[in-house]
Amino acid sequence: MQHDGDAQRRPSPWQSKTFGTSLSLHLDRPVNAMSISPSGRDVVLASRSGLYIVDLDDPHRPPRFIRHTTLWEVADVQWSPHAAKHSWVISTSNQKAMVWNLALPSANAIEHVLHAHTRAITDINFHAHDPERLATCAVDAFVHCWDMRTPAKPVQSFCDWRASATQVKWNRQNGHVVASAHDRFVRIWDDRFGAKPLRSIAAHATKIHGVDFDRRSETRLITCSLDKTVKYWDYSNAEDVPTRVINTGFPVWKARHTPFGDGCLIMPQRGGRNALYLVNNTSSTKNEEMQPVASFIGHTEPLKEFLWRSRGGEAGVDNREFQLVTWSKDRDLRLWQVDEDAVAGVGHIKGQPLPFKLTRLGTPYVSFNREQEKFETTASAALSPLHIRHPSARTSSAAGGARSRTNRAQSRYMTRGVKRQDKISHLNWLSGVRIGRAAFERTDDEANAVATFSERGSYASGSGVPENFGEEVSIVGHKFPKVVFEKIDVGKGEIVLTLNGPWGTDNSLVFIRLQASFPSDYPQKGGPSPRMELEQSKDISEPELAGIESQVRSIADILTARGMFCLEPCLRYLMGEKILVGDLQADDNLLLTEGLPKLEQDDGSSSDDEIIISPPK
């Protein structure tokens, strides 16, 4: 029986600190594809070198990296949308598709290798209802349907024979139907009718790059193309006549139905101000210019992918909230707030019964951002109400088979020697994290600018002023490269750092380790101060170390009381620099701790900006 206390402690998307705010993360890697977990907590970014798992609820933590070196660009990556397979991710590598199980250690995370195509795979799509099934399509013109219970070969295949396949999509209402795009044609296949298409539609004048079935109607779908149009179809009609055409004015790379209301989000291939456009599907005009109800503008380069993050709907009532996630060639991952006017503009009404089944319901709200020794226990406990077998609880024969497939996959994909340039520095990652109003306001150059600590003892005005604790750690870390951060946990407000300061005999440099814990509302004016502790050192006596620690705490207390960031002045003091009274408090009166032979008060010649703490000379 589940206790109320357990339910309250279990992580929930309603506890997310990033869902209701804008967020920008910069990953300076050549990522080509992105997908989102069914819980909406993690995002996977796929590149030639491997997978990056980003925890959206802890954006200051660097991504988990799973190495998978390949010569080929990743055409697509898809996270399973089903609660039953919430740890599965599938990515492409030329003719093959790798099924990753993120619940396993990174070095052994490949669950299956799907290999039946003879040319490069171009698209992947999980079945809308069956968590064990998915489809792939490729340049070889084939569409293969796979069942993960028998992954050695496809359970069914379809082929156009004349043109390569660019898109594949399962019908959301009829699990037997799948659509694929071949050049300018859309083929509708039904696994009950053999290899002949159920319907063929000559949809566009140029190659189709997007196909998406309606979420409520079995026979309706939309397509998009580089011919600058988005077209609506009903394949139950015998003629190749669209029910509606939207002229966008730019080549369209992707167009998909929204998970709320009756809308469509349109993404340009180029042009279009590098924006996303939300349009209403309901219109009496059959051929019209695009009239968006909302636009999402901010990226400096063309977009590569967009996704929807959602929460709610557990009780069968449509109380869902949404957040837009985008990835662009500018290498920014962005989370956008979607206002109520935009949601209402496509006919979404909160409080109604859910209009369709949500396959993500029941997904444990856990992150795969890092490998956890206790993950198996916690994940198994979370999955037990769903009657889902944990992936590590396989039979010996199944485990042996998966192990042999994994060993083959490792030897096949991970033996190529490369420079280890994929590990992301925590400080570099922090410099690319921008939250709230700062998320989209600053340019890349401004985001990389380093703040200066002025002669008045505060961060200089301008783009380098930190917006939060994470930015402060990044700025200070880049400004003082000889300060080593041994631990950074922005979510918990904890850091451990080391440096050399002139606190030894005859002012010689000695090693100092500082452990600091910052309150969650830091730097709240009048709020609690950070806790600063210096580790015991054989080079500094205990009384002297206690005095130094007391001065550091005094600096932190005074600045925090004024709502100011304090990490840089504390470090400057430990490195032997002078701190000014005017920098710290308005009344120019700070009491020194008595009995510090290494510290001196100024002789009084500094007037208003009297030096109150001076390192040894």
Side-chain angles (χ1 to χ4, degrees):
M1 182 176 178
Q2 194 81 35
H3 296 285
D4 292 340
D6 296 335
Q8 291 176 358
R9 287 191 297 270
R10 188 186 306 133
S12 164
W14 297 101
Q15 300 169 350
S16 172
K17 295 180 180 179
T18 61
F19 206 100
T21 186
S22 299
L23 173 68
S24 179
L25 306 174
H26 187 74
L27 178 63
D28 195 16
R29 297 292 188 274
V31 169
N32 207 48
M34 175 180 72
S35 189
I36 194 167
S37 67
S39 71
R41 178 163 178 176
D42 287 343
V43 161
V44 58
L45 299 164
S47 71
R48 286 185 180 184
S49 56
L51 306 180
Y52 298 90
I53 314 300
V54 180
D55 183 356
L56 297 180
D57 272 6
D58 193 1
H60 293 102
R61 181 178 296 279
R64 172 187 176 186
F65 176 64
I66 305 178
R67 182 174 295 280
H68 168 63
T69 304
T70 173
L71 296 175
W72 311 96
E73 292 287 355
V74 177
D76 194 17
V77 63
Q78 291 289 312
W79 203 310
S80 171
H82 302 280
K85 296 293 182 182
H86 74 286
S87 63
W88 276 19
V89 170
I90 181 169
S91 66
T92 69
S93 177
N94 196 20
Q95 306 165 6
K96 303 175 181 65
M98 273 65 63
V99 180
W100 305 82
N101 187 342
L102 302 186
L104 300 177
S106 297
N108 194 29
I110 296 180
E111 187 88 11
H112 305 292
V113 177
L114 309 181
H115 189 191
H117 289 287
T118 57
R119 301 286 299 277
I121 296 174
T122 54
D123 196 29
I124 307 164
N125 189 234
F126 277 94
H127 196 279
H129 308 291
D130 190 340
E132 299 286 353
R133 297 180 65 190
L134 58 92
T136 59
C137 68
V139 178
D140 60 11
F142 273 89
V143 174
H144 291 318
C145 301
W146 303 85
D147 191 317
M148 294 299 97
R149 290 160 291 203
T150 56
K153 62 181 181 179
V155 294
Q156 193 156 13
S157 298
F158 308 105
C159 189
D160 181 85
W161 298 111
R162 289 170 292 184
S164 61
T166 55
Q167 288 281 293
V168 63
K169 188 72 68 174
W170 288 98
N171 192 299
R172 291 188 168 99
Q173 298 295 319
N174 189 335
H176 294 284
V177 175
V178 62
S180 58
H182 304 261
D183 193 39
R184 59 191 183 89
F185 291 89
V186 173
R187 312 294 187 194
I188 310 295
W189 312 91
D190 191 315
D191 60 14
R192 299 166 295 184
F193 288 88
K196 183 179 179 181
L198 179 68
R199 180 82 165 80
S200 294
I201 304 172
H204 289 269
T206 60
K207 182 180 291 187
I208 299 170
H209 285 283
V211 176
D212 193 44
F213 277 104
D214 192 281
R215 295 178 182 271
R216 297 176 178 83
S217 172
E218 176 181 337
T219 59
R220 287 163 44 187
L221 69 155
I222 57 175
T223 60
C224 64
S225 168
L226 302 187
D227 63 7
K228 303 182 180 181
T229 63
V230 175
K231 296 185 178 182
Y232 294 72
W233 305 90
D234 188 332
Y235 70 78
S236 62
N237 297 335
E239 299 180 355
D240 294 350
V241 179
T243 59
R244 185 188 180 197
V245 178
I246 297 178
N247 300 292
T248 60
F250 50 76
V252 183
W253 193 248
K254 298 180 187 294
R256 301 188 191 123
H257 289 95
T258 57
F260 53 88
D262 193 2
C264 173
L265 201 59
I266 300 173
M267 188 182 91
Q269 187 258 357
R270 62 181 184 276
R273 304 174 66 189
N274 302 320
L276 285 170
Y277 298 96
L278 178 64
V279 299
N280 194 315
N281 289 339
T282 59
S283 175
S284 58
T285 306
K286 289 190 175 183
N287 195 318
E288 61 182 332
E289 301 299 317
M290 183 179 66
Q291 298 178 4
V293 298
S295 302
F296 301 90
I297 304 172
H299 283 288
T300 58
E301 297 287 341
L303 283 94
K304 301 283 288 185
E305 184 59 278
F306 67 87
L307 308 162
W308 289 103
R309 186 186 187 199
S310 64
R311 62 183 178 183
E314 284 78 6
V317 178
D318 200 350
N319 64 336
R320 293 175 297 159
E321 296 180 356
F322 301 93
Q323 193 173 36
L324 181 63
V325 186
T326 59
W327 172 258
S328 165
K329 287 184 179 179
D330 60 17
R331 300 187 178 181
D332 271 357
L333 174 78
R334 297 193 172 190
L335 272 65
W336 307 74
Q337 297 184 68
V338 184
D339 59 42
E340 295 182 0
D341 291 340
V343 174
V346 294
H348 179 65
I349 303 175
K350 276 191 173 184
Q352 301 291 323
L354 278 172
F356 40 75
K357 180 182 177 181
L358 299 178
T359 59
R360 65 175 180 82
L361 291 183
T363 304
Y365 196 68
V366 296
S367 174
F368 296 96
N369 172 262
R370 51 180 171 170
E371 299 177 33
Q372 302 177 15
E373 294 180 359
K374 297 181 179 180
F375 176 79
E376 179 177 345
T377 302
T378 57
S380 298
L383 289 173
S384 58
L386 302 173
H387 305 289
I388 300 169
R389 185 161 51 97
H390 191 270
S392 62
R394 292 174 285 194
T395 62
S396 58
S397 59
R403 181 74 59 175
S404 64
R405 288 193 296 272
T406 301
N407 292 337
R408 291 198 301 271
Q410 287 179 328
S411 63
R412 188 175 301 163
Y413 297 109
M414 304 178 70
T415 56
R416 178 178 170 83
V418 293
K419 295 181 180 179
R420 291 191 171 270
Q421 300 174 339
D422 300 300
K423 187 175 180 180
I424 300 173
S425 161
H426 202 151
L427 289 174
N428 288 339
W429 174 257
L430 287 176
S431 66
V433 179
R434 304 188 295 280
I435 301 176
R437 63 180 179 84
F440 303 154
E441 289 180 354
R442 292 182 288 174
T443 64
D444 290 341
D445 291 338
E446 291 172 329
N448 294 329
V450 177
T452 58
F453 190 76
S454 71
E455 295 180 356
R456 295 291 301 172
S458 60
Y459 290 93
S461 61
S463 60
V465 178
E467 297 284 343
N468 50 60
F469 174 58
E471 287 191 19
E472 181 187 24
V473 172
S474 175
I475 291 171
V476 171
H478 284 90
K479 183 182 290 187
F480 303 110
K482 292 185 178 180
V483 174
V484 177
F485 284 83
E486 296 181 340
K487 174 185 177 181
I488 301 174
D489 192 330
V490 176
K492 294 181 179 179
E494 298 175 355
I495 59 172
V496 178
L497 55 86
T498 61
L499 52 87
N500 292 315
W503 303 101
T505 305
D506 298 327
N507 301 336
S508 59
L509 295 176
V510 296
F511 179 82
I512 297 174
R513 176 176 282 112
L514 172 68
Q515 300 182 24
S517 178
F518 293 77
S520 58
D521 57 354
Y522 166 83
Q524 179 71 33
K525 188 173 182 179
S529 300
R531 188 181 74 249
M532 303 282 186
E533 295 180 356
L534 295 177
E535 188 178 89
Q536 292 294 325
S537 171
K538 64 181 180 62
D539 298 316
I540 308 176
S541 66
E542 288 190 18
E544 185 177 358
L545 188 69
I548 298 171
E549 183 177 271
S550 177
Q551 295 290 12
V552 172
R553 290 178 176 176
S554 295
I555 296 171
D557 289 346
I558 292 171
L559 289 176
T560 304
R562 299 174 61 183
M564 299 173 62
F565 292 94
C566 68
L567 182 57
E568 180 174 341
C570 289
L571 293 186
R572 285 188 178 275
Y573 171 70
L574 290 175
M575 289 186 289
E577 296 188 21
K578 298 178 181 180
I579 305 299
L580 307 182
V581 167
D583 301 336
L584 301 181
Q585 61 180 19
D587 59 7
D588 292 353
N589 182 24
L590 174 66
L591 297 177
L592 289 174
T593 302
E594 297 181 357
L596 290 182
K598 298 294 184 181
L599 300 181
E600 299 178 359
Q601 281 185 292
D602 187 74
D603 57 10
S605 60
S606 299
S607 66
D608 291 339
D609 288 338
E610 179 187 4
I611 299 173
I612 60 156
I613 301 176
S614 177
K617 297 180 181 178

